[in-house]
Amino acid sequence: MSEQTTSAVTESQARRPEVTTVGPPVPAEMENPVFVVENLDFYYGSHQALRGVNMKIGRNEITALIGPSGCGKTTFLRCLNRLNDLIAGTRVRGRIDFAGKPIYDPSLAAIELRRRIGMVFQKPNPFPKSIYDNIAIAPKVNGMKVNMDDLVEECLTRAALWDEVKGKLKASAFSLSGGQQQRLCIARAIAVKPEVILMDEPASALDPLATIRIEDLMSELKKDYTIVVVTHNMQQAARVSDRTAFFNVDDSQGVRTGVLVEMGTTHQIFTSPTDQRTDDYITGRFG
Amino acid sequence: MRTRRAVTDRLFWGFCFLAFALIAAPSVSMLISVAHQAAPAVGWSLFSQTTKGIGIQNAILGTLLLLLGVLIVAGTIGVAAGVYLAEFASGRSEKVLRFFSEVLAGMPSIVIGYIGYITLVVQFHWGYSLLAAVIALSVLVMPYIVKTTEVALRQVPSVLREGAAGLGMPRYSTLGRILVPTALPAITSGLIVALAISTGELAPLLFTAGFSDHNPRLQLFHQQVPYLTNVIFTDLALPGKRPHATSAAAALVSLVILIVLIVAGRIVAGRARRNTARMSL
């Protein structure tokens, strides 16, 4: 009997993804958060997609948002740069502070905000232009006074793509492989010198090798940027993130709404979650 | 079993081929018969002389001038309205604009010509003129340009819009630097079809362009404009073999312009398809 219990526990432990984040572990308490989210509610028309989210996101950290489909993690991510503004009929309640200022303040231009908060999407979405122009277009439009050739090289180097494309910068971005396109999109995002990079399942459309390259890149980029990444892949969250936030679908009030169940250091979430739902999810009992 | 399938397959393809032949045969036979009837008139003099002599140089130049005018007027306004419908209009303004565009699309061309005559030619005292003719033709083809522009822009994957927004690009830059260039091949092929329609129109021009045996001049008002469909129409009504041949020759030249435009449109649209296929978004 007792033997069985022990083996069950070991089995449960074995199912937990191993946490291998590079660099020193982050402290449990955050000193200087980039984002402070308070009581965030989000609606698509009359449907509430998020309820009462409170969260802090640490500077130069990688924060992973995990949870089952439909739990609102992507919606939450897109609240952070007000990209949901593009969808008609959406509504936000509550407060998000970025660098100490409320981002949903009407006096703050969403365009200005999005320059400071870059975004990488689920599927690579390079513009139908040359590799060079993909990087150069936003800095040009934004009137950045820089040497464009240098900037393009710098961004492509940082995105670990330079060596592969330096001989064909004028070629169409679509001539690249999916993984290369996604790294191009990361290079494009850092070209406008943002402070934060939001990533919405950046590797979900890529093969395992390309995925590893993106993850390495994220670890590299966190020296200079704050990264928030949505992922379906718990191993990925455990591998790259410093903190993990677990979202879940809550239907206790009769409607299916996304809630933040708990957030902590990735180590804590994956080894000793405080909420049973988190434990069930990361050990693969549902989701 | 296999033979029955094979027979059904054959029958189906046979039917498809028949349908194709029913469409292709009239246009091929028309082309041949027009060419046949035009043969006596085709020669260097057809292009070197005006309708004062035995050529149609003035009508060819006039038609090309009208096409240029349509491209400028209908092209600018139509593309702008299409952009507005696809990107900016919402709610009421969208409904109103779409309604009028559809009404215009269904308007008989002769009514457009008549209204052009009453207002532009008579009321504005422009006389039969280049501008009146260009405006009448433009009104006729504009709904088509509006529609193709709107559809072309709506087909640009929304992830490109989001990608640009995510970089903090303002809406007008996104439109000008990403959306319109991406949609440009499709918009261009719409413009070309609009020009093809303009080439073959007579009704709106009868009321607005007038006609002249002299080559057209770049003068917007009080200067009548010769054009091909007029030659087709009037020379056919004249007695004698020569005018009939000239009429057919004008028709042949119109068809050649039409074919050139359609082929150009095909090439552009084909390029558009390749681009979007490669996008795989």
Side-chain angles (χ1 to χ4, degrees):
Chain A
M1 191 66 188
S2 73
E3 251 181 44
Q4 266 182 350
T5 320
T6 326
S7 80
V9 168
T10 336
E11 198 191 330
S12 165
Q13 287 297 334
R15 276 204 294 256
R16 293 171 193 279
E18 199 187 340
V19 180
T20 54
T21 318
V22 289
V26 290
E29 280 304 309
M30 220 177 279
E31 278 173 17
N32 186 14
V34 178
F35 284 104
V36 179
V37 182
E38 279 171 13
N39 272 320
L40 185 78
D41 294 336
F42 187 84
Y43 300 84
Y44 291 107
S46 60
H47 170 72
Q48 186 167 12
L50 285 172
R51 188 174 63 231
V53 177
N54 290 289
M55 191 190 291
K56 285 179 185 168
I57 291 168
R59 193 175 298 277
N60 292 61
E61 292 180 1
I62 298 180
T63 303
L65 311 179
I66 63 169
S69 299
C71 68
K73 52 195 191 301
T74 293
T75 300
F76 176 77
L77 188 79
R78 293 164 58 106
C79 283
L80 296 178
N81 67 345
R82 289 181 56 177
L83 203 63
N84 287 325
D85 289 13
L86 300 188
I87 304 169
T90 57
R91 198 152 48 84
V92 174
R93 258 198 346 225
R95 185 186 171 99
I96 300 178
D97 283 3
F98 169 61
K101 290 207 181 82
I103 65 168
Y104 280 94
D105 189 287
S107 70
L108 189 96
I111 289 169
E112 199 48 53
L113 180 77
R114 293 188 200 123
R115 280 180 201 169
R116 297 173 65 189
I117 305 173
M119 182 136 190
V120 176
F121 295 81
Q122 186 168 2
K123 276 174 109 181
N125 60 346
F127 299 131
K129 293 178 176 296
S130 71
I131 294 168
Y132 185 99
D133 285 342
N134 260 278
I135 314 269
I137 186 166
K140 256 184 221 162
V141 166
N142 296 355
M144 281 167 64
K145 299 270 177 287
V146 287
N147 181 321
M148 207 50 83
D149 293 351
D150 291 348
L151 182 72
V152 169
E153 178 172 349
E154 181 199 326
C155 295
L156 286 170
T157 307
R158 300 221 57 183
L161 189 60
W162 174 250
D163 288 334
E164 293 158 62
V165 301
K166 60 185 172 190
K168 53 169 189 173
L169 293 175
K170 294 286 165 213
S172 162
F174 295 122
S175 66
L176 301 174
S177 72
Q180 289 173 322
Q181 287 186 16
Q182 194 62 305
R183 275 178 280 144
L184 179 67
C185 290
I186 293 173
R188 181 176 77 181
I190 58 184
V192 290
K193 311 272 181 203
E195 293 151 57
V196 180
I197 305 176
L198 308 177
M199 298 186 171
D200 184 7
E201 299 189 47
S204 66
L206 306 180
D207 66 65
L209 275 176
T211 302
I212 296 291
R213 297 207 66 163
I214 299 282
E215 289 177 9
D216 289 348
L217 186 57
M218 287 164 69
S219 305
E220 188 60 33
L221 289 172
K222 85 170 176 180
K223 289 173 198 154
D224 298 298
Y225 305 97
T226 301
I227 297 176
V228 187
V229 56
V230 167
T231 178
H232 258 113
N233 179 335
M234 276 177 294
Q235 275 75 19
Q236 185 172 63
R239 277 194 300 263
V240 300
S241 72
D242 299 301
R243 289 180 209 274
T244 298
F246 172 62
F247 284 80
N248 199 6
V249 181
D250 180 277
D251 46 15
S252 61
Q253 293 181 14
V255 282
R256 293 171 60 82
T257 301
V259 292
L260 173 63
V261 175
E262 70 172 304
M263 181 176 184
T265 66
T266 298
H267 189 266
Q268 181 252 313
I269 292 288
F270 280 92
T271 53
S272 53
T274 54
D275 195 293
Q276 187 57 42
R277 289 171 291 179
T278 315
D279 198 45
D280 289 348
Y281 183 73
I282 62 171
T283 54
R285 286 201 194 89
F286 84 99
Chain B
M1 230 14 217
R2 195 163 155 255
T3 46
R4 219 184 97 191
R5 272 196 181 182
V7 169
T8 320
D9 193 50
R10 286 274 168 85
L11 274 176
F12 178 70
W13 285 112
F15 176 74
C16 287
F17 181 77
L18 197 71
F20 165 75
L22 280 174
I23 290 170
S27 72
V28 170
S29 92
M30 222 182 309
L31 202 61
I32 292 171
S33 99
V34 167
H36 181 70
Q37 288 173 43
V42 174
W44 179 241
S45 55
L46 186 72
F47 302 101
S48 65
Q49 296 188 25
T50 66
T51 44
K52 211 171 179 178
I54 53 165
I56 54 169
Q57 190 193 48
N58 54 332
I60 296 173
L61 292 177
T63 290
L64 293 177
L65 188 63
L66 287 171
L67 291 185
L68 182 70
V70 168
L71 188 62
I72 293 169
V73 174
T76 315
I77 301 175
V79 169
V83 167
Y84 179 78
L85 268 182
E87 299 293 322
F88 298 101
S90 61
R92 197 146 171 201
S93 68
E94 181 179 357
K95 274 191 195 126
V96 170
L97 187 56
R98 204 181 297 280
F99 175 76
F100 281 116
S101 189
E102 272 160 20
V103 168
L104 214 52
M107 188 91 75
S109 58
I110 195 146
V111 175
I112 292 174
Y114 178 67
I115 295 170
Y117 174 76
I118 300 273
T119 53
L120 308 176
V121 176
V122 177
Q123 235 169 26
F124 292 3
H125 303 290
W126 290 358
Y128 292 117
S129 59
L130 179 60
L131 191 62
V134 164
I135 289 178
L137 272 183
S138 294
V139 167
L140 182 78
V141 298
M142 214 138 48
Y144 191 82
I145 300 175
V146 172
K147 192 79 210 163
T148 48
T149 304
E150 187 193 351
V151 170
L153 280 170
R154 285 193 194 281
Q155 277 171 351
V156 175
S158 65
V159 291
L160 291 184
R161 275 166 237 263
E162 293 193 336
L167 291 167
M169 284 172 65
R171 224 168 154 191
Y172 59 85
S173 314
T174 307
L175 189 63
R177 288 176 187 254
I178 291 166
L179 303 182
V180 170
T182 308
L184 199 58
I187 295 173
T188 311
S189 75
L191 286 176
I192 287 171
V193 175
L195 292 184
I197 296 171
S198 305
T199 309
E201 272 299 333
L202 171 67
L205 296 177
L206 277 177
F207 289 93
T208 51
F211 193 80
S212 155
D213 281 332
H214 301 285
N215 276 335
R217 276 186 277 159
L218 274 174
Q219 187 181 321
L220 291 179
F221 309 107
H222 308 292
Q223 174 73 38
Q224 305 201 18
V225 186
Y227 52 97
L228 285 168
T229 42
N230 191 300
V231 177
I232 303 174
F233 179 65
T234 46
D235 278 32
L236 198 60
L238 294 177
K241 278 191 177 154
R242 186 77 220 180
H244 287 187
T246 309
S247 166
L252 189 63
V253 173
S254 303
L255 279 172
V256 169
I257 294 177
L258 203 69
I259 288 168
V260 167
L261 285 171
I262 288 171
V263 169
R266 278 281 162 77
I267 292 169
V268 173
R271 237 181 46 209
R273 261 197 299 281
R274 267 212 307 283
N275 279 349
T276 37
R278 265 197 320 198
M279 232 183 284
S280 74
L281 290 169

